Amino acid sequence: MSADRRPLDYDSLKSAIVNDPSTSYWLVSAIQALEKRDPLDAEDDANTLAELARKRSQELLEAAQLK
């Protein structure tokens, strides 16, 4: 018997993330806030936030390598 490999729909994925004990409170809060927003605006903002987080991480790693 093969495992079902279809991707989870939004509600199933959201439930899995929110109910995972390793999920941060910050992420759970962000998911709850997401529910109240226009999905396209929220996606744009999330992409901007991810870009900013990547930039911050890269700069911190580069600075640590210079020490």
Side-chain angles (χ1 to χ4, degrees), residues 31-64:
I31 291 169
Q32 292 167 343
L34 170 69
E35 295 287 310
K36 300 172 185 165
R37 302 211 39 226
D38 175 85
L40 296 176
D41 289 342
E43 182 182 9
D44 286 343
D45 288 350
N47 287 330
T48 300
L49 181 60
E51 181 181 346
L52 185 60
R54 273 190 298 277
K55 186 68 171 169
R56 180 176 181 228
S57 296
Q58 288 170 349
E59 290 180 4
L60 289 171
L61 289 172
E62 289 169 3

mmCIF file of all heavy atoms in Angstrom, residues 31-64:
data_model
loop_
_atom_site.group_PDB
_atom_site.id
_atom_site.type_symbol
_atom_site.label_atom_id
_atom_site.label_comp_id
_atom_site.label_asym_id
_atom_site.label_seq_id
_atom_site.Cartn_x
_atom_site.Cartn_y
_atom_site.Cartn_z
ATOM 1 N N ILE A 31 0.031 33.307 12.156
ATOM 2 C CA ILE A 31 -0.983 32.543 11.412
ATOM 3 C C ILE A 31 -2.382 33.030 11.775
ATOM 4 O O ILE A 31 -3.241 33.190 10.906
ATOM 5 C CB ILE A 31 -0.821 31.028 11.670
ATOM 6 C CG1 ILE A 31 0.469 30.535 11.009
ATOM 7 C CG2 ILE A 31 -2.031 30.253 11.162
ATOM 8 C CD1 ILE A 31 0.882 29.129 11.412
ATOM 9 N N GLN A 32 -2.599 33.305 13.049
ATOM 10 C CA GLN A 32 -3.898 33.821 13.474
ATOM 11 C C GLN A 32 -4.163 35.197 12.862
ATOM 12 O O GLN A 32 -5.287 35.492 12.436
ATOM 13 C CB GLN A 32 -3.971 33.875 14.993
ATOM 14 C CG GLN A 32 -3.994 32.500 15.614
ATOM 15 C CD GLN A 32 -3.752 32.511 17.110
ATOM 16 O OE1 GLN A 32 -3.267 33.479 17.675
ATOM 17 N NE2 GLN A 32 -4.078 31.396 17.766
ATOM 18 N N ALA A 33 -3.131 36.038 12.799
ATOM 19 C CA ALA A 33 -3.284 37.361 12.180
ATOM 20 C C ALA A 33 -3.536 37.232 10.681
ATOM 21 O O ALA A 33 -4.303 38.006 10.100
ATOM 22 C CB ALA A 33 -2.038 38.207 12.443
ATOM 23 N N LEU A 34 -2.912 36.232 10.067
ATOM 24 C CA LEU A 34 -3.089 35.989 8.633
ATOM 25 C C LEU A 34 -4.550 35.777 8.272
ATOM 26 O O LEU A 34 -5.026 36.248 7.237
ATOM 27 C CB LEU A 34 -2.260 34.759 8.233
ATOM 28 C CG LEU A 34 -2.455 34.172 6.850
ATOM 29 C CD1 LEU A 34 -1.908 35.134 5.802
ATOM 30 C CD2 LEU A 34 -1.782 32.822 6.748
ATOM 31 N N GLU A 35 -5.260 35.092 9.143
ATOM 32 C CA GLU A 35 -6.672 34.792 8.908
ATOM 33 C C GLU A 35 -7.531 36.044 8.749
ATOM 34 O O GLU A 35 -8.591 35.999 8.148
ATOM 35 C CB GLU A 35 -7.229 33.954 10.061
ATOM 36 C CG GLU A 35 -6.618 32.591 10.186
ATOM 37 C CD GLU A 35 -7.079 31.657 9.101
ATOM 38 O OE1 GLU A 35 -8.290 31.547 8.882
ATOM 39 O OE2 GLU A 35 -6.209 31.038 8.468
ATOM 40 N N LYS A 36 -7.079 37.162 9.314
ATOM 41 C CA LYS A 36 -7.861 38.401 9.308
ATOM 42 C C LYS A 36 -7.485 39.324 8.155
ATOM 43 O O LYS A 36 -8.036 40.421 8.055
ATOM 44 C CB LYS A 36 -7.657 39.135 10.637
ATOM 45 C CG LYS A 36 -8.085 38.322 11.824
ATOM 46 C CD LYS A 36 -7.703 38.980 13.119
ATOM 47 C CE LYS A 36 -8.043 38.050 14.277
ATOM 48 N NZ LYS A 36 -7.404 38.460 15.499
ATOM 49 N N ARG A 37 -6.554 38.896 7.303
ATOM 50 C CA ARG A 37 -6.024 39.783 6.267
ATOM 51 C C ARG A 37 -6.408 39.309 4.877
ATOM 52 O O ARG A 37 -6.718 38.143 4.665
ATOM 53 C CB ARG A 37 -4.494 39.802 6.358
ATOM 54 C CG ARG A 37 -4.035 40.245 7.734
ATOM 55 C CD ARG A 37 -2.738 40.967 7.772
ATOM 56 N NE ARG A 37 -2.542 41.881 6.682
ATOM 57 C CZ ARG A 37 -1.403 41.942 5.992
ATOM 58 N NH1 ARG A 37 -0.400 41.154 6.247
ATOM 59 N NH2 ARG A 37 -1.281 42.824 5.015
ATOM 60 N N ASP A 38 -6.320 40.218 3.932
ATOM 61 C CA ASP A 38 -6.453 39.843 2.536
ATOM 62 C C ASP A 38 -5.291 38.903 2.196
ATOM 63 O O ASP A 38 -4.141 39.229 2.500
ATOM 64 C CB ASP A 38 -6.381 41.109 1.666
ATOM 65 C CG ASP A 38 -6.380 40.770 0.193
ATOM 66 O OD1 ASP A 38 -7.469 40.593 -0.375
ATOM 67 O OD2 ASP A 38 -5.271 40.662 -0.388
ATOM 68 N N PRO A 39 -5.562 37.745 1.610
ATOM 69 C CA PRO A 39 -4.500 36.765 1.370
ATOM 70 C C PRO A 39 -3.366 37.278 0.475
ATOM 71 O O PRO A 39 -2.207 36.950 0.694
ATOM 72 C CB PRO A 39 -5.197 35.577 0.722
ATOM 73 C CG PRO A 39 -6.645 35.845 0.788
ATOM 74 C CD PRO A 39 -6.872 37.249 1.216
ATOM 75 N N LEU A 40 -3.685 38.080 -0.520
ATOM 76 C CA LEU A 40 -2.637 38.586 -1.410
ATOM 77 C C LEU A 40 -1.754 39.615 -0.706
ATOM 78 O O LEU A 40 -0.522 39.606 -0.861
ATOM 79 C CB LEU A 40 -3.248 39.167 -2.681
ATOM 80 C CG LEU A 40 -3.993 38.161 -3.558
ATOM 81 C CD1 LEU A 40 -4.632 38.873 -4.748
ATOM 82 C CD2 LEU A 40 -3.076 37.048 -4.021
ATOM 83 N N ASP A 41 -2.365 40.485 0.076
ATOM 84 C CA ASP A 41 -1.573 41.445 0.855
ATOM 85 C C ASP A 41 -0.692 40.722 1.867
ATOM 86 O O ASP A 41 0.476 41.066 2.055
ATOM 87 C CB ASP A 41 -2.482 42.437 1.585
ATOM 88 C CG ASP A 41 -3.157 43.423 0.656
ATOM 89 O OD1 ASP A 41 -2.691 43.594 -0.494
ATOM 90 O OD2 ASP A 41 -4.156 44.042 1.085
ATOM 91 N N ALA A 42 -1.249 39.717 2.522
ATOM 92 C CA ALA A 42 -0.495 38.959 3.520
ATOM 93 C C ALA A 42 0.682 38.232 2.868
ATOM 94 O O ALA A 42 1.781 38.191 3.433
ATOM 95 C CB ALA A 42 -1.413 37.959 4.224
ATOM 96 N N GLU A 43 0.469 37.683 1.687
ATOM 97 C CA GLU A 43 1.554 36.996 0.979
ATOM 98 C C GLU A 43 2.670 37.964 0.623
ATOM 99 O O GLU A 43 3.855 37.669 0.813
ATOM 100 C CB GLU A 43 1.036 36.308 -0.284
ATOM 101 C CG GLU A 43 2.120 35.554 -1.023
ATOM 102 C CD GLU A 43 1.639 34.892 -2.302
ATOM 103 O OE1 GLU A 43 0.502 35.150 -2.730
ATOM 104 O OE2 GLU A 43 2.428 34.120 -2.864
ATOM 105 N N ASP A 44 2.306 39.128 0.117
ATOM 106 C CA ASP A 44 3.318 40.144 -0.203
ATOM 107 C C ASP A 44 4.117 40.538 1.029
ATOM 108 O O ASP A 44 5.347 40.630 0.988
ATOM 109 C CB ASP A 44 2.667 41.392 -0.816
ATOM 110 C CG ASP A 44 2.205 41.191 -2.247
ATOM 111 O OD1 ASP A 44 2.651 40.218 -2.891
ATOM 112 O OD2 ASP A 44 1.388 42.013 -2.705
ATOM 113 N N ASP A 45 3.423 40.769 2.130
ATOM 114 C CA ASP A 45 4.109 41.147 3.370
ATOM 115 C C ASP A 45 4.999 40.019 3.876
ATOM 116 O O ASP A 45 6.114 40.260 4.346
ATOM 117 C CB ASP A 45 3.100 41.552 4.443
ATOM 118 C CG ASP A 45 2.441 42.893 4.158
ATOM 119 O OD1 ASP A 45 2.887 43.614 3.247
ATOM 120 O OD2 ASP A 45 1.453 43.217 4.853
ATOM 121 N N ALA A 46 4.522 38.780 3.798
ATOM 122 C CA ALA A 46 5.316 37.634 4.247
ATOM 123 C C ALA A 46 6.571 37.471 3.399
ATOM 124 O O ALA A 46 7.652 37.167 3.927
ATOM 125 C CB ALA A 46 4.471 36.364 4.204
ATOM 126 N N ASN A 47 6.445 37.691 2.101
ATOM 127 C CA ASN A 47 7.620 37.619 1.225
ATOM 128 C C ASN A 47 8.628 38.708 1.572
ATOM 129 O O ASN A 47 9.839 38.464 1.583
ATOM 130 C CB ASN A 47 7.213 37.705 -0.249
ATOM 131 C CG ASN A 47 6.549 36.441 -0.731
ATOM 132 O OD1 ASN A 47 6.828 35.352 -0.251
ATOM 133 N ND2 ASN A 47 5.654 36.583 -1.698
ATOM 134 N N THR A 48 8.144 39.905 1.860
ATOM 135 C CA THR A 48 9.030 40.999 2.254
ATOM 136 C C THR A 48 9.719 40.673 3.572
ATOM 137 O O THR A 48 10.935 40.882 3.726
ATOM 138 C CB THR A 48 8.240 42.321 2.366
ATOM 139 O OG1 THR A 48 7.659 42.611 1.093
ATOM 140 C CG2 THR A 48 9.136 43.469 2.792
ATOM 141 N N LEU A 49 8.973 40.145 4.534
ATOM 142 C CA LEU A 49 9.539 39.772 5.823
ATOM 143 C C LEU A 49 10.589 38.665 5.659
ATOM 144 O O LEU A 49 11.659 38.723 6.281
ATOM 145 C CB LEU A 49 8.429 39.323 6.777
ATOM 146 C CG LEU A 49 8.855 38.931 8.184
ATOM 147 C CD1 LEU A 49 9.536 40.104 8.894
ATOM 148 C CD2 LEU A 49 7.656 38.445 8.967
ATOM 149 N N ALA A 50 10.304 37.677 4.817
ATOM 150 C CA ALA A 50 11.263 36.589 4.574
ATOM 151 C C ALA A 50 12.543 37.128 3.941
ATOM 152 O O ALA A 50 13.652 36.716 4.309
ATOM 153 C CB ALA A 50 10.632 35.518 3.684
ATOM 154 N N GLU A 51 12.406 38.046 3.004
ATOM 155 C CA GLU A 51 13.574 38.658 2.367
ATOM 156 C C GLU A 51 14.416 39.415 3.402
ATOM 157 O O GLU A 51 15.648 39.310 3.427
ATOM 158 C CB GLU A 51 13.133 39.607 1.259
ATOM 159 C CG GLU A 51 14.263 40.273 0.514
ATOM 160 C CD GLU A 51 13.769 41.229 -0.563
ATOM 161 O OE1 GLU A 51 12.583 41.193 -0.929
ATOM 162 O OE2 GLU A 51 14.604 42.019 -1.029
ATOM 163 N N LEU A 52 13.761 40.151 4.272
ATOM 164 C CA LEU A 52 14.455 40.898 5.312
ATOM 165 C C LEU A 52 15.155 39.951 6.292
ATOM 166 O O LEU A 52 16.311 40.183 6.681
ATOM 167 C CB LEU A 52 13.455 41.792 6.048
ATOM 168 C CG LEU A 52 14.011 42.750 7.091
ATOM 169 C CD1 LEU A 52 15.009 43.723 6.466
ATOM 170 C CD2 LEU A 52 12.871 43.513 7.746
ATOM 171 N N ALA A 53 14.492 38.869 6.669
ATOM 172 C CA ALA A 53 15.087 37.887 7.584
ATOM 173 C C ALA A 53 16.304 37.215 6.952
ATOM 174 O O ALA A 53 17.323 37.009 7.620
ATOM 175 C CB ALA A 53 14.042 36.841 7.990
ATOM 176 N N ARG A 54 16.212 36.875 5.644
ATOM 177 C CA ARG A 54 17.352 36.288 4.935
ATOM 178 C C ARG A 54 18.538 37.245 4.924
ATOM 179 O O ARG A 54 19.677 36.850 5.172
ATOM 180 C CB ARG A 54 16.977 35.915 3.504
ATOM 181 C CG ARG A 54 16.372 34.541 3.348
ATOM 182 C CD ARG A 54 16.230 34.124 1.894
ATOM 183 N NE ARG A 54 15.342 34.993 1.137
ATOM 184 C CZ ARG A 54 14.023 34.887 1.120
ATOM 185 N NH1 ARG A 54 13.422 33.956 1.812
ATOM 186 N NH2 ARG A 54 13.298 35.712 0.405
ATOM 187 N N LYS A 55 18.261 38.508 4.639
ATOM 188 C CA LYS A 55 19.319 39.517 4.591
ATOM 189 C C LYS A 55 19.983 39.652 5.959
ATOM 190 O O LYS A 55 21.212 39.703 6.063
ATOM 191 C CB LYS A 55 18.731 40.856 4.129
ATOM 192 C CG LYS A 55 19.742 41.927 3.905
ATOM 193 C CD LYS A 55 20.607 41.587 2.712
ATOM 194 C CE LYS A 55 21.490 42.754 2.338
ATOM 195 N NZ LYS A 55 22.496 42.376 1.364
ATOM 196 N N ARG A 56 19.184 39.716 7.004
ATOM 197 C CA ARG A 56 19.730 39.831 8.357
ATOM 198 C C ARG A 56 20.602 38.619 8.691
ATOM 199 O O ARG A 56 21.717 38.764 9.219
ATOM 200 C CB ARG A 56 18.584 39.944 9.369
ATOM 201 C CG ARG A 56 19.056 40.054 10.794
ATOM 202 C CD ARG A 56 17.875 40.254 11.737
ATOM 203 N NE ARG A 56 18.345 40.375 13.101
ATOM 204 C CZ ARG A 56 17.834 39.701 14.121
ATOM 205 N NH1 ARG A 56 16.802 38.900 13.937
ATOM 206 N NH2 ARG A 56 18.314 39.845 15.327
ATOM 207 N N SER A 57 20.111 37.425 8.385
ATOM 208 C CA SER A 57 20.872 36.199 8.649
ATOM 209 C C SER A 57 22.190 36.188 7.888
ATOM 210 O O SER A 57 23.241 35.851 8.449
ATOM 211 C CB SER A 57 20.063 34.961 8.253
ATOM 212 O OG SER A 57 18.912 34.847 9.043
ATOM 213 N N GLN A 58 22.132 36.545 6.601
ATOM 214 C CA GLN A 58 23.352 36.560 5.786
ATOM 215 C C GLN A 58 24.373 37.531 6.369
ATOM 216 O O GLN A 58 25.554 37.194 6.471
ATOM 217 C CB GLN A 58 23.023 36.976 4.350
ATOM 218 C CG GLN A 58 22.273 35.910 3.572
ATOM 219 C CD GLN A 58 21.763 36.446 2.241
ATOM 220 O OE1 GLN A 58 21.777 37.629 1.972
ATOM 221 N NE2 GLN A 58 21.265 35.536 1.419
ATOM 222 N N GLU A 59 23.937 38.704 6.740
ATOM 223 C CA GLU A 59 24.863 39.707 7.269
ATOM 224 C C GLU A 59 25.451 39.277 8.605
ATOM 225 O O GLU A 59 26.654 39.470 8.850
ATOM 226 C CB GLU A 59 24.178 41.070 7.381
ATOM 227 C CG GLU A 59 23.906 41.694 6.030
ATOM 228 C CD GLU A 59 23.225 43.034 6.098
ATOM 229 O OE1 GLU A 59 22.991 43.574 7.200
ATOM 230 O OE2 GLU A 59 22.903 43.569 5.022
ATOM 231 N N LEU A 60 24.644 38.649 9.465
ATOM 232 C CA LEU A 60 25.165 38.167 10.747
ATOM 233 C C LEU A 60 26.167 37.034 10.539
ATOM 234 O O LEU A 60 27.206 36.983 11.209
ATOM 235 C CB LEU A 60 24.020 37.704 11.654
ATOM 236 C CG LEU A 60 23.143 38.831 12.218
ATOM 237 C CD1 LEU A 60 21.917 38.239 12.924
ATOM 238 C CD2 LEU A 60 23.934 39.691 13.171
ATOM 239 N N LEU A 61 25.880 36.126 9.606
ATOM 240 C CA LEU A 61 26.812 35.046 9.321
ATOM 241 C C LEU A 61 28.118 35.564 8.725
ATOM 242 O O LEU A 61 29.209 35.114 9.097
ATOM 243 C CB LEU A 61 26.177 34.015 8.376
ATOM 244 C CG LEU A 61 25.080 33.157 8.982
ATOM 245 C CD1 LEU A 61 24.393 32.315 7.905
ATOM 246 C CD2 LEU A 61 25.639 32.263 10.076
ATOM 247 N N GLU A 62 28.002 36.527 7.818
ATOM 248 C CA GLU A 62 29.205 37.109 7.222
ATOM 249 C C GLU A 62 30.052 37.819 8.271
ATOM 250 O O GLU A 62 31.280 37.714 8.283
ATOM 251 C CB GLU A 62 28.824 38.067 6.091
ATOM 252 C CG GLU A 62 28.301 37.358 4.870
ATOM 253 C CD GLU A 62 27.670 38.306 3.848
ATOM 254 O OE1 GLU A 62 27.691 39.532 4.058
ATOM 255 O OE2 GLU A 62 27.136 37.783 2.850
ATOM 256 N N ALA A 63 29.408 38.539 9.173
ATOM 257 C CA ALA A 63 30.130 39.233 10.233
ATOM 258 C C ALA A 63 30.821 38.246 11.176
ATOM 259 O O ALA A 63 31.943 38.485 11.609
ATOM 260 C CB ALA A 63 29.171 40.140 11.016
ATOM 261 N N ALA A 64 30.168 37.125 11.456
ATOM 262 C CA ALA A 64 30.754 36.111 12.336
ATOM 263 C C ALA A 64 31.970 35.460 11.680
ATOM 264 O O ALA A 64 32.933 35.104 12.360
ATOM 265 C CB ALA A 64 29.706 35.060 12.696
#
